[in-house]
Amino acid sequence: MAEKGVKVFGMWASPMAIRLEWALRLKSVVYEYVDEDLGNKSDALLRYNPVTKKVPVLVHDGKPVVESAIIVEYIDEAWKDGYPIMPADPYERAQARFWANFADEKDLNGFVQCNAAVYPVFTATGEAQGKVVHEAQQCLKTLEKALEGKKFFGGDAVGYLDLVVGWYAYWLPIIEEVSGASVVTDEELPLMKAWFDRFLAVDVVKETLPPRDKLLALNTARREQLLTA
Amino acid sequence: MMGDPAVKLVGAFGSAFSHRVEVALRLKGVACELVLEDLRNKSELLLAHNPVHKKVPVLLHGKAATCESLVIVEYVDEAFAGPPLLPADPHARAAARFWAHFIDEKCMKSLWAALWMEASEAQRTSMAEAKRSLALLEQQLSEKSRFFGGDSIGLVDIAASGLALWLGVMEEISGVTVVTDEEFPALRRWARRYVGNEDVKRCLPERDRLVAMFSECKEMFRAMAMGSDAETVN
């Protein structure tokens, strides 16, 4: 008997997992969320994702899909009559994918792209922090160009790129608070800051965000751990 | 056809990434003008159209400039008619994207380090990682299918093209062997099939010229592998 339905294997504090929830809710798809303990991964997770063993994994009628950005595109295609996540035009789609890569990945030569520039802000201290913040701001300033003249990266409504970089809107201010760094300010990144507010006001986003105090506590503890390691 | 905007590919000789786009265009039957960059002296055209990364390949199609080889391949698949480079089924499409991404993220990075790093603990770790990743990729090739894409070349084959020609050349020049017939029989069979394909052949650089080029770059690759700040042949 074929397994039916939609399951998300995630972790409550994972910004990558939340992308799936946003996408599924935009499509009004009902799903079951399985909150993994990453220190003790379930047999089901390992069975569905033997290659990378990571969250998130989407399981749709028993078939797994992995890699959050790829899963978001899958959700758009599998429920193609719902809310349009990817732009319709091939060139706009290419632009969205280009910026998603820029945000998510280190390129082949290890040159830093957005996420890789943002993570170090979490643990940098003292003088090093200034340099790391500056690099993060440079990356975000480049990314900000994709917002010019628009309410969202997707245009008038949220789209693929908003879902991919949306986690910054909630997690970055927490990283800033925990590390004492100031990255996204009105002076340095006005468009991004304004987009943060608009994105956090979107219904599917508001409904899914983990409690701030819990996330703050987790990240404070993790930072402690990393700094004393 | 009259009225269709011109297609121009800004690439570089010997670039496996440029090749990806060239082969995609050929498979779709799209005529394009190929502009070969001297990567030590990048043109205004390249810098204007890829201000973020300043790298090849860049595809110019009418007013549109698209960057990042795999992004361009998907664009070519969507913007032009012709045989599909991705499967129709959403699950199969997601799997193709996963493996294409896996090739770049897991295989190519560790391969590069394994080939060019000095013999060391780090190099041995990279070698192990490369083999582990390639073994997972090998499993994606079945006895029945000719290519990762099935009977015809698709996104994953195009993403893996560096493993078909460039890897052999780099193994020769570095003196480091990673992919043998014994350990990776399916990958080796696939590689021979890929480089033997009529469409692919027209987009591949001559092996001798590639060997000569990479021989010249050997020291630069070794330096890059050690993490120094050098220009890339990308």
Side-chain angles (χ1 to χ4, degrees), chain A residues 74-226:
Chain A
Y74 170 82
I75 290 169
D76 196 41
E77 292 174 357
W79 288 277
K80 60 177 160 46
D81 294 328
Y83 182 99
I85 292 176
M86 290 294 285
D89 171 68
Y91 174 64
E92 296 300 325
R93 294 159 74 85
Q95 289 299 98
R97 288 178 184 133
F98 172 85
W99 287 116
N101 283 354
F102 178 77
D104 266 3
E105 296 175 12
K106 255 199 170 113
D107 74 6
L108 279 179
N109 306 113
F111 291 118
V112 157
Q113 303 192 125
C114 272
N115 278 6
V118 165
Y119 284 141
V121 174
F122 187 55
T123 48
T125 53
E127 273 175 44
Q129 196 184 72
K131 180 171 187 280
V132 150
V133 165
H134 178 77
E135 259 196 50
Q137 285 173 334
Q138 292 308 110
C139 270
L140 291 170
K141 280 180 183 182
T142 305
L143 184 60
E144 206 183 39
K145 294 195 175 113
L147 261 179
E148 277 164 13
K150 298 189 284 184
K151 279 180 71 181
F152 296 102
F153 287 100
D156 287 327
V158 297
Y160 175 73
L161 190 54
D162 298 277
L163 300 190
V164 168
V165 302
W167 72 280
Y168 287 155
Y170 196 64
W171 269 258
L172 251 180
I174 289 180
I175 290 172
E176 286 173 328
E177 191 173 323
V178 165
S179 65
S182 196
V183 181
V184 180
T185 61
D186 286 309
E187 300 75 40
E188 293 294 329
L189 290 153
L191 297 183
M192 187 122 315
K193 194 129 199 288
W195 169 76
F196 276 14
D197 293 335
R198 282 195 288 274
F199 187 76
L200 294 174
V202 170
D203 285 337
V204 301
V205 174
K206 279 193 298 195
E207 285 163 13
T208 49
L209 291 175
R212 197 176 196 277
D213 51 358
K214 225 180 145 193
L215 197 59
L216 189 61
L218 177 75
N219 281 291
T220 303
R222 194 179 277 160
R223 185 172 189 265
E224 277 285 319
Q225 223 176 26
L226 290 169

Side-chain angles (χ1 to χ4, degrees), chain A residues 63-67 70 73-74 77 90-91 93-95 97-99 101-102 105-109 113, chain B residues 17 52-53 55 64-68 71 74-75 78 90-91 93-94 97-98 101-102 104 109 224 232:
Chain A
K63 290 163 90 170
V65 188
V66 302
E67 293 292 322
I70 291 174
E73 275 212 64
Y74 170 82
E77 292 174 357
Y91 174 64
R93 294 159 74 85
Q95 289 299 98
R97 288 178 184 133
F98 172 85
W99 287 116
N101 283 354
F102 178 77
E105 296 175 12
K106 255 199 170 113
D107 74 6
L108 279 179
N109 306 113
Q113 303 192 125
Chain B
F17 300 95
V52 174
H53 299 302
K55 289 180 180 171
T66 310
C67 310
E68 295 288 291
V71 173
E74 285 216 54
Y75 171 79
E78 293 170 0
H91 193 259
R93 293 166 73 83
R97 287 176 179 136
F98 172 80
H101 185 252
F102 182 85
D104 274 351
K109 284 183 187 174
M224 276 165 66
T232 77

